[in-house]
Amino acid sequence: MAPGRLRGAWSAYRLRWKRRQLIWRAIRAGRRLTPLADRTATIARGEILLFATLRNEAARIPEFLDHYRRLGVGHFLIVDNDSDDGTDRLLRDLPDISLWRATDSYRDARFGMDWLGALLFRHGHGHWCVTVDADEMLVYPDCDRRDLSELTAFLDARGVAGMGALMLDLYPRAALGQADAPPGAPLTHRLPYFDAGPYRCRVQQPRRNRWVQGGVRERVFFAERPRRAPTLNKLPLIRWRRGFAYVNSTHSMLPPRLNDLYDGPGDARLSGVLLHGKFLPDIVARSREELARRQHFADPDAYASYHRALIRAPVLWHRDSVRYQGPQQLVDLRLMGAAGWQGDPAAEG
């Protein structure tokens, strides 16, 4: 065998082994989950499922559930990581939610992905699955009039296994710790601004995973260290199979072909945006907590300065900030694509 083909075969073998390791790791982690309300027996064939890990999200949960129910999610499978604000009590009696408690370290569970991997393995096979954080609201072209069942039928008809999305940070006009509308108002009223660019995308080998960076967090917090800026591409909507595995949050997957589903902003293929509500007023208190808990980064010391900067409550708004107007605006800005979906077959593929 030629050296190049030998290297390729060895790389493919290593990736298959990595995928098996991640799946077995998730299965083991799943055995440590405590069911609080297991209603998975009620999941219907073809029902769209949502998977999330959360902690102390009682204030966000009502809008989160309402948003995804409107999109057409039929059942929520949620892991509560030892909340102490009543999040578990809020969720456990709702008929479309199955709830588990995890008391182990979020960081040691690959930032919750081992727990979700177990639930995806058990319950996600054959379903279209949305995997998101509690501060992420998925939007896509025409989502105000076409639900996820129509979207996934479109993808199924074209043999497409999933849809990528840009994580778009929303922020207020005022300093962090404040919002532009009172509690209870929609997220896009409380945090109405975003950075329309610049964003850049690179392909990383050997998994072929994309690495999108840029936006407001890089502009404000990582201007001197842009390679440390957060990864903004995600694969939140996948027709799940038991052989699939998320590698780094929902930023990348195995097998590698799934990472080819999305090339970041500017990709004409149908994609979405995750409206990211990280910068609600509780961000200052959460950043203080994270400095103590050290659960959200593989190398917490490298990001301590970032959390200290958040605690100082800077103003993220600047003269080029854009006010959110709706999903079509994001299509027009090329932050998400709509090929074929909005009647442009020539752009498809």
Side-chain angles (χ1 to χ4, degrees):
M1 183 180 292
R5 293 183 63 185
L6 184 61
R7 284 194 297 271
W10 174 242
S11 178
Y13 170 79
R14 291 181 64 187
L15 290 175
R16 285 195 299 272
W17 183 248
K18 175 69 172 178
R19 179 158 45 111
R20 292 188 187 105
Q21 285 182 313
L22 291 173
I23 291 169
W24 279 111
R25 176 180 172 133
I27 291 170
R28 288 194 299 271
R31 295 172 183 150
R32 294 181 59 80
L33 294 175
T34 301
L36 301 180
D38 186 351
R39 301 183 178 91
T40 53
T42 68
I43 294 173
R45 182 176 181 180
E47 200 161 31
I48 295 169
L49 309 180
L50 183 145
F51 296 78
T53 295
L54 47 80
R55 181 178 185 276
N56 289 347
E57 298 289 5
R60 298 178 193 264
I61 281 296
E63 184 178 13
F64 177 84
L65 296 177
D66 183 58
H67 176 81
Y68 285 104
R69 285 170 178 152
R70 285 199 313 269
L71 289 185
V73 168
H75 201 90
F76 297 80
L77 296 91
I78 295 177
V79 176
D80 179 83
N81 186 202
D82 223 12
S83 292
D84 57 16
D85 71 340
T87 295
D88 54 345
R89 294 192 300 275
L90 185 65
L91 292 172
R92 66 190 306 165
D93 294 329
L94 300 177
D96 57 351
I97 291 177
S98 291
L99 180 66
W100 291 262
R101 175 181 290 131
T103 57
D104 294 335
S105 162
Y106 177 76
R107 180 179 163 193
D108 291 347
R110 288 195 310 120
F111 310 104
M113 294 315 299
D114 287 339
W115 303 324
L116 296 188
L119 298 182
L120 284 159
F121 184 86
R122 291 179 197 167
H123 307 293
H125 180 76
H127 289 268
W128 279 97
C129 297
V130 179
T131 305
V132 289
D133 294 335
D135 59 5
E136 295 174 341
M137 303 290 195
L138 177 65
V139 296
Y140 51 85
D142 297 338
C143 64
D144 47 353
R145 59 188 183 87
R146 302 169 78 179
D147 67 13
L148 283 168
S149 63
E150 189 171 352
L151 176 72
T152 54
F154 174 89
L155 296 171
D156 277 333
R158 286 151 181 79
V160 178
M163 185 185 77
L166 171 71
M167 186 168 61
L168 187 66
D169 291 309
L170 303 179
Y171 51 85
R173 176 66 179 84
L176 292 185
Q178 304 178 55
D180 289 14
L187 174 67
T188 52
H189 293 184
R190 302 185 74 194
L191 304 178
Y193 294 99
F194 64 91
D195 278 22
Y199 297 97
R200 63 190 181 280
C201 179
R202 289 187 288 161
V203 181
Q204 299 194 111
Q205 299 298 340
R207 295 199 306 267
R208 306 202 302 267
N209 56 299
R210 274 50 175 182
W211 191 13
V212 173
Q213 293 176 290
V216 62
R217 279 188 281 174
E218 180 175 300
R219 170 172 61 83
V220 176
F221 302 108
F222 297 94
E224 303 301 320
R225 301 175 298 156
R227 288 181 64 88
R228 284 281 191 180
T231 305
L232 302 177
N233 54 292
K234 290 200 166 186
L235 295 166
L237 178 65
I238 299 290
R239 180 177 269 285
W240 201 260
R241 295 288 181 265
R242 287 198 180 92
F244 293 175
Y246 281 118
V247 180
N248 174 25
S249 180
T250 58
H251 300 301
S252 64
M253 296 189 69
L254 289 173
R257 59 182 169 80
L258 296 169
N259 296 315
D260 295 331
L261 289 168
Y262 181 56
D263 282 330
D267 188 342
R269 293 174 296 175
L270 178 60
S271 63
V273 161
L274 291 164
L275 300 175
H276 192 205
K278 179 181 181 68
F279 294 126
L280 284 170
D282 64 356
I283 183 60
V284 175
R286 285 175 179 265
S287 296
R288 288 196 183 98
E289 181 184 31
E290 179 50 30
L291 279 173
R293 292 185 71 238
R294 300 164 59 84
Q295 290 290 299
H296 281 83
F297 290 101
D299 182 4
D301 291 333
Y303 290 90
S305 61
Y306 166 58
H307 287 293
R308 285 193 289 267
L310 288 170
I311 290 169
R312 290 194 291 270
V315 174
L316 305 186
W317 187 93
H318 71 155
R319 63 182 183 180
D320 293 324
S321 296
V322 178
R323 190 178 187 97
Y324 181 74
Q325 298 173 6
Q328 187 57 45
Q329 174 196 34
L330 304 180
V331 175
D332 295 339
L333 290 170
R334 302 188 69 202
L335 295 179
M336 60 187 185
W341 176 247
Q342 292 188 326
D344 183 13
E348 195 170 351

